[in-house]
PDB file of all heavy atoms in Angstrom:
ATOM      1  N   GLY R 240      20.346  33.376 -28.069  1.00 95.00           N
ATOM      2  CA  GLY R 240      21.829  33.281 -28.199  1.00 95.00           C
ATOM      3  C   GLY R 240      22.531  32.235 -27.662  1.00 95.00           C
ATOM      4  O   GLY R 240      23.806  31.919 -27.741  1.00 95.00           O
ATOM      5  N   LYS R 241      21.886  31.247 -27.012  1.00 98.00           N
ATOM      6  CA  LYS R 241      22.422  30.115 -26.229  1.00 98.00           C
ATOM      7  C   LYS R 241      21.904  28.924 -26.946  1.00 98.00           C
ATOM      8  O   LYS R 241      20.826  28.846 -27.568  1.00 98.00           O
ATOM      9  CB  LYS R 241      22.040  30.063 -24.820  1.00 98.00           C
ATOM     10  CG  LYS R 241      22.429  31.310 -23.958  1.00 98.00           C
ATOM     11  CD  LYS R 241      22.032  31.428 -22.554  1.00 98.00           C
ATOM     12  CE  LYS R 241      22.514  32.631 -21.866  1.00 98.00           C
ATOM     13  NZ  LYS R 241      22.142  32.667 -20.490  1.00 98.00           N
ATOM     14  N   LEU R 242      22.690  27.786 -26.762  1.00 98.00           N
ATOM     15  CA  LEU R 242      22.322  26.432 -27.239  1.00 98.00           C
ATOM     16  C   LEU R 242      21.361  26.053 -26.177  1.00 98.00           C
ATOM     17  O   LEU R 242      21.640  25.952 -24.926  1.00 98.00           O
ATOM     18  CB  LEU R 242      23.489  25.482 -27.405  1.00 98.00           C
ATOM     19  CG  LEU R 242      24.440  25.666 -28.553  1.00 98.00           C
ATOM     20  CD1 LEU R 242      25.401  24.600 -28.598  1.00 98.00           C
ATOM     21  CD2 LEU R 242      23.586  25.740 -29.802  1.00 98.00           C
ATOM     22  N   HIS R 243      20.192  25.541 -26.565  1.00 98.00           N
ATOM     23  CA  HIS R 243      19.155  25.072 -25.726  1.00 98.00           C
ATOM     24  C   HIS R 243      18.602  23.792 -25.945  1.00 98.00           C
ATOM     25  O   HIS R 243      18.435  23.462 -27.155  1.00 98.00           O
ATOM     26  CB  HIS R 243      17.908  26.148 -25.800  1.00 98.00           C
ATOM     27  CG  HIS R 243      16.863  25.866 -24.791  1.00 98.00           C
ATOM     28  ND1 HIS R 243      16.887  26.278 -23.485  1.00 98.00           N
ATOM     29  CD2 HIS R 243      15.704  25.152 -24.890  1.00 98.00           C
ATOM     30  CE1 HIS R 243      15.792  25.884 -22.922  1.00 98.00           C
ATOM     31  NE2 HIS R 243      14.978  25.273 -23.823  1.00 98.00           N
ATOM     32  N   ARG R 244      18.348  23.072 -25.029  1.00 98.00           N
ATOM     33  CA  ARG R 244      17.596  21.761 -25.160  1.00 98.00           C
ATOM     34  C   ARG R 244      17.023  21.210 -23.976  1.00 98.00           C
ATOM     35  O   ARG R 244      17.454  21.487 -22.838  1.00 98.00           O
ATOM     36  CB  ARG R 244      18.637  20.581 -25.667  1.00 98.00           C
ATOM     37  CG  ARG R 244      17.886  19.267 -26.024  1.00 98.00           C
ATOM     38  CD  ARG R 244      18.514  18.050 -26.570  1.00 98.00           C
ATOM     39  NE  ARG R 244      17.579  16.981 -26.398  1.00 98.00           N
ATOM     40  CZ  ARG R 244      17.917  15.690 -26.720  1.00 98.00           C
ATOM     41  NH1 ARG R 244      19.076  15.401 -27.156  1.00 98.00           N
ATOM     42  NH2 ARG R 244      16.963  14.830 -26.633  1.00 98.00           N
ATOM     43  N   LYS R 245      15.760  20.579 -24.012  1.00 98.00           N
ATOM     44  CA  LYS R 245      15.071  19.932 -23.098  1.00 98.00           C
ATOM     45  C   LYS R 245      15.252  18.495 -23.167  1.00 98.00           C
ATOM     46  O   LYS R 245      15.144  17.938 -24.271  1.00 98.00           O
ATOM     47  CB  LYS R 245      13.571  20.339 -23.172  1.00 98.00           C
ATOM     48  CG  LYS R 245      13.196  21.764 -22.692  1.00 98.00           C
ATOM     49  CD  LYS R 245      11.660  21.887 -22.803  1.00 98.00           C
ATOM     50  CE  LYS R 245      11.346  23.229 -22.444  1.00 98.00           C
ATOM     51  NZ  LYS R 245      11.075  24.211 -23.521  1.00 98.00           N
ATOM     52  N   PHE R 246      15.626  17.885 -22.085  1.00 98.00           N
ATOM     53  CA  PHE R 246      15.693  16.356 -21.979  1.00 98.00           C
ATOM     54  C   PHE R 246      14.679  15.924 -21.115  1.00 98.00           C
ATOM     55  O   PHE R 246      14.279  16.466 -20.016  1.00 98.00           O
ATOM     56  CB  PHE R 246      16.969  15.934 -21.316  1.00 98.00           C
ATOM     57  CG  PHE R 246      18.237  16.310 -22.249  1.00 98.00           C
ATOM     58  CD1 PHE R 246      18.850  17.536 -22.078  1.00 98.00           C
ATOM     59  CD2 PHE R 246      18.790  15.447 -23.096  1.00 98.00           C
ATOM     60  CE1 PHE R 246      19.902  17.871 -22.827  1.00 98.00           C
ATOM     61  CE2 PHE R 246      19.911  15.802 -23.940  1.00 98.00           C
ATOM     62  CZ  PHE R 246      20.505  17.097 -23.770  1.00 98.00           C
ATOM     63  N   GLU R 247      14.155  14.563 -21.390  1.00 98.00           N
ATOM     64  CA  GLU R 247      13.249  14.018 -20.569  1.00 98.00           C
ATOM     65  C   GLU R 247      13.581  12.563 -20.424  1.00 98.00           C
ATOM     66  O   GLU R 247      13.940  11.867 -21.279  1.00 98.00           O
ATOM     67  CB  GLU R 247      11.836  14.007 -21.262  1.00 98.00           C
ATOM     68  CG  GLU R 247      10.703  13.910 -20.291  1.00 98.00           C
ATOM     69  CD  GLU R 247       9.320  14.110 -20.769  1.00 98.00           C
ATOM     70  OE1 GLU R 247       9.205  15.122 -21.498  1.00 98.00           O
ATOM     71  OE2 GLU R 247       8.427  13.456 -20.385  1.00 98.00           O
ATOM     72  N   PHE R 248      13.463  12.134 -19.031  1.00 98.00           N
ATOM     73  CA  PHE R 248      13.959  10.852 -18.753  1.00 98.00           C
ATOM     74  C   PHE R 248      12.773   9.922 -18.123  1.00 98.00           C
ATOM     75  O   PHE R 248      11.658  10.543 -17.811  1.00 98.00           O
ATOM     76  CB  PHE R 248      15.129  10.855 -17.816  1.00 98.00           C
ATOM     77  CG  PHE R 248      16.412  11.592 -18.381  1.00 98.00           C
ATOM     78  CD1 PHE R 248      16.433  12.927 -18.281  1.00 98.00           C
ATOM     79  CD2 PHE R 248      17.198  10.885 -19.158  1.00 98.00           C
ATOM     80  CE1 PHE R 248      17.521  13.564 -18.833  1.00 98.00           C
ATOM     81  CE2 PHE R 248      18.253  11.534 -19.671  1.00 98.00           C
ATOM     82  CZ  PHE R 248      18.472  12.892 -19.781  1.00 98.00           C
ATOM     83  N   ALA R 249      13.058   8.726 -17.726  1.00 98.00           N
ATOM     84  CA  ALA R 249      11.953   7.948 -17.314  1.00 98.00           C
ATOM     85  C   ALA R 249      11.702   8.342 -15.836  1.00 98.00           C
ATOM     86  O   ALA R 249      10.456   8.299 -15.350  1.00 98.00           O
ATOM     87  CB  ALA R 249      12.392   6.396 -17.238  1.00 98.00           C
ATOM     88  N   ASN R 250      12.518   8.949 -15.160  1.00 98.00           N
ATOM     89  CA  ASN R 250      12.326   9.237 -13.698  1.00 98.00           C
ATOM     90  C   ASN R 250      13.493  10.103 -13.206  1.00 98.00           C
ATOM     91  O   ASN R 250      14.427  10.526 -13.930  1.00 98.00           O
ATOM     92  CB  ASN R 250      12.196   7.955 -12.820  1.00 98.00           C
ATOM     93  CG  ASN R 250      13.407   7.107 -13.048  1.00 98.00           C
ATOM     94  OD1 ASN R 250      14.596   7.591 -13.037  1.00 98.00           O
ATOM     95  ND2 ASN R 250      13.179   5.752 -13.258  1.00 98.00           N
TER      96      ASN R 250
END
Side-chain angles (χ1 to χ4, degrees):
Chain R
K241 299 176 181 179
L242 287 187
H243 182 82
R244 185 177 168 183
K245 293 184 171 94
F246 295 89
E247 198 168 322
F248 300 89
N250 53 45

